[in-house]
Amino acid sequence: MTVREFRNRDLPELLGLLKTQDERASQRSMTPEGRSIEDLALELGELSPYTELVPLVLEQHGQLAAYVALCNYDGEAFLEGPLMRPELGAADVAPLLERAVSEAKVRGYSFVEAFVDEENVRAQDALAASAFEPFRTTYIYEFRRGSDLTPLSPSRFRFEQGEVDVGVYRDLYRETSDNWATRLAWRDEDLRERFSDPQVSLTLVYQDDRPVGHLELERLPDEGYAEVAYFGVLPAARGQKLGRELLLRGLHEAFAAPDVELVLARAHDDERAASVTLESVGFLLSHGVVAYTLELK
């Protein structure tokens, strides 16, 4: 077997692996989104969504046997894949992962992450054999248009949308979960740009004029779905079914857009209360994604 850089002639075989993955949860991992040769060529080339992309393949008997790509997005390194043919095991793809890790070290990354479906045992075994360690499982939930959606009812809380006070938002974001950190590094102008997007809405909820919770909804009408990016309630305000009210309002808002057929939400494995709240309003568990990390320094 030979490890080498991806070439355009690999596109048809990569597309075949991707279509096989789509049919079987046991083979899913984070991979390119394109599902045509033309879209894949653009995604792996001039229209890559990443700051840097290093796609690699494992070749066996002149055919593409496995794929991994080292990706850089806003300075963070992670892998697409490993995506491999059904007959391959952890030992077979070890050289491919070793090459990806080597590329990450050369670029000076402190760590590299990978994301695979909870049912993709072969990819998990391959990552573990290359010293990657699991650190979190994220559960993806779905609510489809036409499902039983509870009507909104009068509330003793006040819900507001409009111009965002980034200081208030940042405090809520920090205090509603110990696991969230990404947005804390955003500048004020980054947050204002995010919430000025007409497809993004932020709902703040008040109790006695004090902000106690928030829900961020992003609509992707061209893709036919919306996503609850974040929702949370301050610890002191929990136990009043406020999270449930926020989610119901988010669902009603999402489905007010005629092109939205599906709403997605997520909860980490240590956020059992969030999972219970999602299920209480009718979200159904779709799948779990296991995150792996490898420290390089």
Side-chain angles (χ1 to χ4, degrees):
M1 293 190 185
T2 303
V3 176
R4 59 170 174 79
E5 293 184 359
F6 179 87
R7 301 168 187 162
N8 280 342
R9 67 176 174 84
D10 298 317
L11 286 167
E13 290 181 286
L14 176 58
L15 182 60
L17 283 179
L18 289 169
K19 289 183 176 179
T20 299
Q21 169 194 258
D22 293 343
E23 297 169 357
R24 304 176 187 174
S26 61
Q27 296 190 37
R28 292 177 193 156
S29 60
M30 184 174 180
T31 54
E33 295 183 359
R35 290 300 182 268
S36 71
I37 289 179
E38 294 77 11
D39 288 345
L40 275 176
L42 291 172
E43 187 176 345
L44 297 179
E46 60 187 39
L47 293 185
S48 170
Y50 306 122
T51 308
E52 184 180 18
L53 178 69
V54 185
L56 304 167
V57 299
L58 182 69
E59 186 177 61
Q60 182 183 37
H61 306 308
Q63 295 183 320
L64 190 151
Y67 166 91
V68 162
L70 175 66
C71 310
N72 174 349
Y73 186 77
D74 283 348
E76 296 187 1
F78 58 91
L79 300 182
E80 287 186 336
L83 178 64
M84 47 188 167
R85 290 210 307 247
E87 66 271 18
L88 298 188
D92 297 313
V93 299
L96 182 60
L97 286 169
E98 181 180 344
R99 171 70 179 276
V101 170
S102 176
E103 296 285 350
K105 289 179 178 178
V106 167
R107 287 160 174 78
Y109 296 124
S110 300
F111 62 91
V112 61
E113 296 180 344
F115 306 89
V116 300
D117 194 284
E118 193 175 30
E119 295 185 31
N120 191 344
V121 177
R122 290 187 309 123
Q124 292 182 52
D125 288 346
L127 290 167
S130 295
F132 282 78
E133 296 183 351
F135 70 93
R136 182 180 65 217
T137 299
T138 301
Y139 295 104
I140 311 301
Y141 287 85
E142 297 181 347
F143 194 109
R144 295 189 176 276
R145 183 183 290 277
S147 301
D148 187 15
L149 178 57
T150 302
L152 295 178
S153 58
S155 174
R156 58 195 179 91
F157 301 101
R158 189 173 87 252
F159 298 85
E160 290 188 359
Q161 293 183 353
E163 186 174 349
V164 176
D165 182 323
V166 294
V168 170
Y169 168 78
R170 192 175 279 112
D171 288 343
L172 279 172
Y173 181 90
R174 180 188 299 110
E175 295 174 21
T176 49
S177 176
D178 294 332
N179 295 324
W180 299 346
T182 304
R183 295 285 177 84
L184 297 179
W186 285 25
R187 301 169 300 172
D188 287 359
E189 50 265 40
D190 296 328
L191 292 172
R192 292 192 183 99
E193 181 180 0
R194 167 69 175 176
F195 295 122
S196 66
D197 185 334
Q199 298 299 342
V200 175
S201 63
L202 178 68
T203 300
L204 299 184
V205 56
Y206 292 81
Q207 182 177 28
D208 299 328
D209 295 325
R210 181 188 177 215
V212 293
H214 63 106
L215 182 141
E216 180 182 334
L217 181 72
E218 181 173 9
R219 293 169 293 277
L220 296 97
D222 291 342
E223 305 294 332
Y225 73 93
E227 181 173 359
V228 177
Y230 290 98
F231 81 100
V233 176
L234 293 180
R238 292 172 187 167
Q240 306 177 77
K241 297 186 177 180
L242 182 50
R244 189 174 189 277
E245 282 198 56
L246 274 167
L247 284 171
L248 283 175
R249 288 176 180 273
L251 285 169
H252 279 274
E253 180 183 354
F255 289 125
D259 294 331
V260 171
E261 295 293 329
L262 174 72
V263 179
L264 300 177
R266 64 192 66 205
H268 298 318
D269 50 4
D270 58 352
E271 296 176 329
R272 180 56 186 160
S275 292
V276 169
T277 304
L278 287 164
E279 292 166 4
S280 75
V281 301
F283 277 90
L284 299 178
L285 178 63
S286 170
H287 61 283
V289 177
V290 184
Y292 281 78
T293 188
L294 174 65
E295 292 189 11
L296 302 178
K297 292 183 179 180

